[in-house]
Amino acid sequence: MKAFLILEDGTVFTGNSIGARKEVISEIVFNTSMTGYLEVLTDPSYAGQAVAMTYPLIGNYGVTPDMESKCPWPTGYIVRELSRMPSNFRCERGLEDFLKEHDIPGISGIDTRALTKRLREKGTMNGMITTIENYNLEEILPELAAYRTGKVVELVTCSEKEVLSGNKYKVALLDLGAKKNIAKSLNKRGCEVTVYPARTSAQEILDTAPDGIMLSNGPGDPKECTEIIAEIRKLYDSDVPIFAICLGHQLMALATGADTYKMKYGHRGGNHPVKDLETNRVYISSQNHGYVVDTEKLDPKIAVPAFVNVNDGTNEGLKYTGKNIFTVQFHPEACPGPQDSEYLFDRFLEMMEGAK
């Protein structure tokens, strides 16, 4: 069946329908990862977005047990070629069946290189995936321009508290759309990890006397999370060590008076170089974000840059002055992606040890 990807600027790509047969409007973003498509699909940070994979063949090892959350979150999926014959000893089923099972529409057979170049030149745009051939472009374009992802953190967070037992440090993980490997990375280091829903009050977390607090990744515009930001400010005012990733990094910055802005097309993939400004070492990182902290509006009495993106100079992390707090924009837990920066979890453990 034919399918069409219609962009906000009026560009139309024609391909084949994959996954669910339904019409959807999303923010269209691209991911440059060569592998790890299942981890990409199950990353809650993609809620409200349709993901275009730049690598041309997707689905060649099928669906394996590498889920980073309970279900996939993108509202659409865009590929050059979808493998119809997956081959891997861990393969449980094909990727198209997985998309159908979770009611996610997609499109294959389009020039994803041309799509990516257009998004890089014009910036991230909204778009529609549809199988309706007699679509009315004049009616669709205003709908695309009006689309917003909205408050998606509430959609992806856990519904109730969860505990991973451990015998070392007690860590409270605020789930803003957390990938499973964040909790696993702490738990395998001996930490008892308690995962809290995003709307949990700071007082409820602090009443448990945690040794450390982790703020996770998550989807959407950080400025939409006004109530969560207010609670994070209370966590900042405590003396509990805090480590934050991605959206958590942005929310901590907003909670302490800094600002964020939307990037032209964001960073999404497993090959982004970041420099640790303390050691001058460069690490290859996994990333997925469309917003960034504005270092021009950063008060050095509150926080200073700790990491910078080698490609475009944008902020990749902060160290908070006089506080046991550090935050990063990238994903040290990877999944998918390189594990170069996994040492940051060890740094967090050292911070908790030093605070005792």
Side-chain angles (χ1 to χ4, degrees), residues 20 32-35 39 46 51 64 78 88 106 115-116 137-138 184 216 219 224 231 245 254 266 270 303 320-321 345:
T32 58
S33 297
M34 295 176 69
T35 62
E39 292 95 330
Y46 284 112
V51 185
T64 56
I78 303 161
N88 186 277
L115 171 61
T116 302
L137 199 59
E138 290 183 3
K184 285 181 181 177
S216 82
E224 294 275 358
E231 295 303 315
I245 290 173
L254 290 171
Y320 283 77
T321 309
F345 288 104

Side-chain angles (χ1 to χ4, degrees), residues 4-285:
F4 307 91
L5 172 63
I6 305 168
L7 296 183
E8 197 175 340
D9 68 348
T11 304
V12 179
F13 292 88
T14 303
N16 303 308
S17 175
I18 58 173
R21 303 288 192 264
K22 71 175 188 179
E23 189 172 274
V24 67
I25 295 176
S26 317
E27 183 180 51
I28 310 298
V29 299
F30 63 87
N31 185 293
T32 58
S33 297
M34 295 176 69
T35 62
Y37 54 80
L38 188 64
E39 292 95 330
V40 169
L41 277 166
T42 55
D43 181 348
S45 295
Y46 284 112
Q49 298 175 327
V51 185
M53 303 299 292
T54 61
Y55 191 72
L57 177 63
I58 298 296
N60 54 310
Y61 53 86
V63 174
T64 56
D66 302 311
M67 304 268 285
E68 278 301 299
S69 63
K70 61 185 178 183
C71 65
W73 292 104
T75 47
Y77 203 50
I78 303 161
V79 300
R80 175 69 184 91
E81 181 182 350
L82 183 70
S83 174
R84 304 290 178 178
M85 297 178 66
S87 177
N88 186 277
F89 73 99
R90 299 168 72 235
C91 177
E92 297 174 344
R93 59 194 183 283
L95 185 55
E96 180 161 25
D97 290 339
F98 182 73
L99 295 174
K100 287 178 179 176
E101 177 188 337
H102 294 282
D103 201 32
I104 298 173
I107 183 170
S108 70
I110 71 165
D111 188 341
T112 48
R113 184 179 181 187
L115 171 61
T116 302
K117 288 176 71 175
R118 183 159 292 273
L119 294 176
R120 284 178 61 93
E121 289 164 6
K122 294 198 171 186
T124 297
M125 287 183 275
N126 295 332
M128 173 187 284
I129 296 173
T130 182
T131 56
I132 298 173
E133 295 195 34
N134 59 341
Y135 57 82
N136 187 322
L137 199 59
E138 290 183 3
E139 291 180 1
I140 289 172
L141 294 182
E143 290 183 55
L144 299 184
Y147 175 79
R148 298 291 181 272
T149 56
K151 293 189 174 184
V152 279
V153 169
E154 286 83 352
L155 177 68
V156 300
T157 189
C158 60
S159 56
E160 56 186 23
K161 189 167 65 173
E162 303 168 15
V163 180
L164 281 71
S165 60
N167 53 17
K168 203 165 189 181
Y169 303 109
K170 288 173 56 180
V171 177
L173 170 57
L174 191 63
D175 178 11
L176 306 167
K179 289 157 67 178
K180 284 183 179 179
N181 205 43
I182 295 176
K184 285 181 181 177
S185 295
L186 292 165
N187 190 235
K188 76 178 183 181
R189 288 170 169 80
C191 295
E192 176 189 287
V193 183
T194 303
V195 185
Y196 291 91
R199 289 283 188 162
T200 305
S201 71
Q203 195 58 53
E204 181 179 341
I205 292 172
L206 295 172
D207 282 347
T208 65
D211 297 308
I213 297 169
M214 184 99 209
L215 308 179
S216 82
N217 63 293
D221 183 346
K223 291 180 181 176
E224 294 275 358
C225 304
T226 50
E227 298 89 348
I228 299 171
I229 290 168
E231 295 303 315
I232 288 176
R233 175 67 204 204
K234 296 172 187 175
L235 297 176
Y236 167 84
D237 288 333
S238 75
D239 291 323
V240 180
I242 298 175
F243 178 27
I245 290 173
C246 200
L247 180 63
H249 154 78
Q250 297 164 7
L251 296 184
M252 179 60 76
L254 290 171
T256 53
D259 197 11
T260 59
Y261 62 89
K262 188 170 186 177
M263 305 174 77
K264 186 175 181 181
Y265 49 82
H267 297 154
R268 297 175 182 88
N271 58 349
H272 293 269
V274 297
K275 180 188 278 190
D276 185 331
L277 297 178
E278 187 175 320
T279 64
N280 278 332
R281 291 190 66 178
V282 173
Y283 301 91
I284 303 302
S285 68

